[in-house]
Tab-separated table of all heavy atoms in Angstrom:
chain	number	residue	atom	x	y	z
A	13	TYR	N	221.136	105.041	9.538
A	13	TYR	CA	222.313	104.533	8.834
A	13	TYR	C	222.870	103.458	9.758
A	13	TYR	O	223.460	103.789	10.785
A	13	TYR	CB	223.351	105.637	8.624
A	13	TYR	CG	222.849	106.799	7.786
A	13	TYR	CD1	222.574	108.032	8.361
A	13	TYR	CD2	222.659	106.660	6.413
A	13	TYR	CE1	222.125	109.093	7.590
A	13	TYR	CE2	222.209	107.724	5.645
A	13	TYR	CZ	221.946	108.933	6.237
A	13	TYR	OH	221.493	109.992	5.478
A	16	LEU	N	223.028	104.160	13.560
A	16	LEU	CA	222.807	105.582	13.826
A	16	LEU	C	221.405	105.998	13.366
A	16	LEU	O	221.049	105.814	12.206
A	16	LEU	CB	223.859	106.406	13.075
A	16	LEU	CG	223.699	107.911	13.243
A	16	LEU	CD1	224.481	108.395	14.450
A	16	LEU	CD2	224.150	108.640	11.992
A	18	ALA	N	219.433	108.863	12.256
A	18	ALA	CA	219.714	110.229	11.802
A	18	ALA	C	218.458	111.104	11.870
A	18	ALA	O	218.544	112.309	12.083
A	18	ALA	CB	220.260	110.204	10.379
A	19	VAL	N	217.286	110.479	11.687
A	19	VAL	CA	216.006	111.192	11.765
A	19	VAL	C	215.073	110.326	12.594
A	19	VAL	O	214.945	109.129	12.327
A	19	VAL	CB	215.405	111.400	10.350
A	19	VAL	CG1	213.981	111.931	10.433
A	19	VAL	CG2	216.276	112.342	9.518
A	36	GLY	N	218.406	123.742	11.100
A	36	GLY	CA	219.040	123.054	12.226
A	36	GLY	C	220.537	123.047	12.044
A	36	GLY	O	221.032	123.278	10.937
A	37	PRO	N	221.274	122.790	13.142
A	37	PRO	CA	222.732	122.792	13.054
A	37	PRO	C	223.237	121.633	12.214
A	37	PRO	O	222.500	120.674	11.960
A	37	PRO	CB	223.178	122.649	14.511
A	37	PRO	CG	222.013	122.045	15.221
A	37	PRO	CD	220.783	122.477	14.481
A	38	SER	N	224.467	121.737	11.801
A	38	SER	CA	225.074	120.693	10.991
A	38	SER	C	224.999	119.345	11.720
A	38	SER	O	225.219	119.281	12.927
A	38	SER	CB	226.532	121.114	10.745
A	38	SER	OG	227.178	120.098	10.068
A	39	GLY	N	224.624	118.310	11.000
A	39	GLY	CA	224.563	116.967	11.586
A	39	GLY	C	223.247	116.636	12.259
A	39	GLY	O	223.072	115.550	12.797
A	40	CYS	N	222.244	117.559	12.231
A	40	CYS	CA	220.988	117.302	12.951
A	40	CYS	C	220.065	116.375	12.175
A	40	CYS	O	219.048	115.929	12.694
A	40	CYS	CB	220.266	118.610	13.264
A	40	CYS	SG	219.516	119.363	11.810
A	41	GLY	N	220.386	116.095	10.912
A	41	GLY	CA	219.578	115.149	10.161
A	41	GLY	C	218.743	115.771	9.052
A	41	GLY	O	217.958	115.091	8.396
A	42	LYS	N	218.931	117.081	8.794
A	42	LYS	CA	218.044	117.727	7.824
A	42	LYS	C	218.276	117.246	6.393
A	42	LYS	O	217.315	117.034	5.664
A	42	LYS	CB	218.105	119.264	7.935
A	42	LYS	CG	219.478	119.847	7.963
A	42	LYS	CD	219.431	121.288	8.433
A	42	LYS	CE	220.785	121.949	8.169
A	42	LYS	NZ	221.933	121.221	8.776
A	43	SER	N	219.535	117.031	5.990
A	43	SER	CA	219.770	116.520	4.627
A	43	SER	C	219.236	115.104	4.492
A	43	SER	O	218.707	114.732	3.433
A	43	SER	CB	221.255	116.503	4.283
A	43	SER	OG	221.762	117.794	4.358
A	44	THR	N	219.376	114.332	5.554
A	44	THR	CA	218.857	112.965	5.525
A	44	THR	C	217.342	112.997	5.322
A	44	THR	O	216.792	112.218	4.526
A	44	THR	CB	219.220	112.238	6.839
A	44	THR	OG1	220.646	112.233	6.971
A	44	THR	CG2	218.681	110.817	6.850
A	45	LEU	N	216.679	113.912	6.007
A	45	LEU	CA	215.227	114.042	5.871
A	45	LEU	C	214.861	114.381	4.418
A	45	LEU	O	213.963	113.780	3.823
A	45	LEU	CB	214.723	115.144	6.812
A	45	LEU	CG	213.217	115.300	6.880
A	45	LEU	CD1	212.617	114.167	7.702
A	45	LEU	CD2	212.833	116.635	7.500
A	53	GLU	N	216.990	107.897	0.320
A	53	GLU	CA	217.314	107.115	1.529
A	53	GLU	C	216.063	106.349	1.900
A	53	GLU	O	214.967	106.910	1.881
A	53	GLU	CB	217.613	108.029	2.721
A	53	GLU	CG	218.939	108.677	2.885
A	53	GLU	CD	220.178	107.889	2.558
A	53	GLU	OE1	220.207	106.668	2.801
A	53	GLU	OE2	221.108	108.509	2.048
A	158	ASP	N	218.741	121.786	-1.148
A	158	ASP	CA	219.671	121.444	-0.065
A	158	ASP	C	220.721	122.544	0.064
A	158	ASP	O	221.622	122.629	-0.759
A	158	ASP	CB	220.343	120.097	-0.362
A	158	ASP	CG	221.089	119.555	0.861
A	158	ASP	OD1	221.203	120.295	1.860
A	158	ASP	OD2	221.543	118.403	0.803
A	190	VAL	N	216.452	122.873	2.992
A	190	VAL	CA	217.152	122.694	4.259
A	190	VAL	C	218.298	123.697	4.342
A	190	VAL	O	218.952	124.005	3.348
A	190	VAL	CB	217.643	121.245	4.515
A	190	VAL	CG1	216.542	120.239	4.299
A	190	VAL	CG2	218.854	120.912	3.678
B	1	LIG	P1	222.624	117.728	8.339
B	1	LIG	O1	222.110	117.765	6.962
B	1	LIG	O2	221.661	118.307	9.338
B	1	LIG	O3	223.991	118.306	8.478
B	1	LIG	P2	222.789	114.851	7.915
B	1	LIG	O4	221.402	114.447	7.601
B	1	LIG	O5	223.753	115.003	6.786
B	1	LIG	O6	222.755	116.191	8.797
B	1	LIG	O7	223.418	113.813	8.943
B	1	LIG	C1	222.711	113.361	10.093
B	1	LIG	C2	223.560	112.300	10.793
B	1	LIG	O8	223.657	111.147	9.950
B	1	LIG	C3	224.983	112.751	11.080
B	1	LIG	O9	225.393	112.161	12.299
B	1	LIG	C4	225.771	112.179	9.915
B	1	LIG	O10	227.115	111.933	10.296
B	1	LIG	C5	225.015	110.887	9.616
B	1	LIG	N1	225.077	110.507	8.206
B	1	LIG	C6	224.705	111.269	7.140
B	1	LIG	N2	224.836	110.583	5.973
B	1	LIG	C7	225.301	109.352	6.316
B	1	LIG	C8	225.640	108.177	5.561
B	1	LIG	N3	225.496	108.128	4.209
B	1	LIG	N4	226.088	107.090	6.241
B	1	LIG	C9	226.206	107.118	7.586
B	1	LIG	N5	225.898	108.190	8.351
B	1	LIG	C10	225.452	109.299	7.734
Side-chain angles (χ1 to χ4, degrees):
Y13 299 108
L16 178 90
V19 171
S38 175
C40 73
K42 49 195 192 305
S43 300
T44 301
L45 186 75
E53 280 320 325
D158 192 352
V190 310

